[in-house]
Amino acid sequence: TNLRALGIFDGQLYEATSTSTTVSRVLSVGAGLPTTTLQTATSLPGLPTSGNYNNFFLADIDGSSGVDTLYLTEDSPGTIRKYSLVSGTWTANGSVSAANVRGITGTVSGTTVTLYATSATTLWSIADVSGFNGSLTATPATVASAPANTAFRGIDFATVGSVVVVVPTVTASPPSS
């Protein structure tokens, strides 16, 4: 297998994998947050095993306990897919195009999910207001483009608190003769 991403959602460890034979899966690993080796990884039921999964974001938006909505990135063909957990099976709820998309994270406010996704060159935001089991039809909005000679490799939120981070500016100049 080719581990693409790990995530913890609602106290459960998940992973996305893809193999050279293009078998892709999103799996739950063990029960909760495993602390020992040799855990059983179980594919999420209903998801297709073909494609090129890279990353995922899980959310709880139906008002009941536990995650029920999955957003999954595929860089080829450049798609963010939405799935809802309906009667124990993950059911497709549409997709949006985002060229070469890899990284994804999001926030939840009621039944609205705001996604943030990246390719090597672009950071997008996508507002999904369709709610649980609704069709994803939003249009990605560009938030930022990577500067020359840099690339986005993923995205996540970080708590900063009261820490001030200083990033130095690097200036290149030709050597003197």
Side-chain angles (χ1 to χ4, degrees):
T1 60
N2 182 358
L3 178 63
R4 296 290 179 96
L6 290 170
I8 298 171
F9 298 92
D10 196 33
Q12 175 63 50
L13 177 63
Y14 295 90
E15 67 180 354
T17 65
S18 185
T19 67
S20 60
T21 57
T22 66
V23 174
S24 295
R25 298 183 293 168
V26 178
L27 308 104
S28 61
V29 180
L33 301 178
T35 58
T36 61
T37 60
L38 302 175
Q39 296 293 315
T40 300
T42 305
S43 293
L44 300 186
L47 293 180
T49 57
S50 62
N52 191 12
Y53 301 169
N54 282 306
N55 212 325
F56 58 95
F57 176 73
L58 285 156
D60 178 8
I61 61 174
D62 74 351
S64 66
S65 177
V67 294
D68 52 58
T69 305
L70 167 70
Y71 298 90
L72 184 60
T73 66
E74 292 184 78
D75 63 350
S76 178
T79 306
I80 299 170
R81 300 187 188 283
K82 178 183 179 182
Y83 295 88
S84 295
L85 186 58
V86 179
S87 300
T89 300
W90 291 94
T91 304
N93 292 127
S95 64
V96 296
S97 295
N100 303 310
V101 65
R102 294 256 175 149
I104 192 166
T105 193
T107 62
V108 179
S109 178
T111 59
T112 297
V113 178
T114 303
L115 300 169
Y116 299 92
T118 59
S119 70
T121 60
T122 308
L123 167 62
W124 295 282
S125 68
I126 302 109
D128 180 12
V129 298
S130 66
F132 174 73
N133 207 23
S135 185
L136 176 64
T137 59
T139 302
T142 299
V143 174
S145 298
N149 301 315
T150 63
F152 296 124
R153 292 294 181 212
I155 186 165
D156 210 341
F157 293 110
T159 303
V160 177
S162 61
V163 176
V164 176
V165 179
V166 178
V167 179
T169 301
V170 178
T171 305
S173 59
S176 58
S177 47

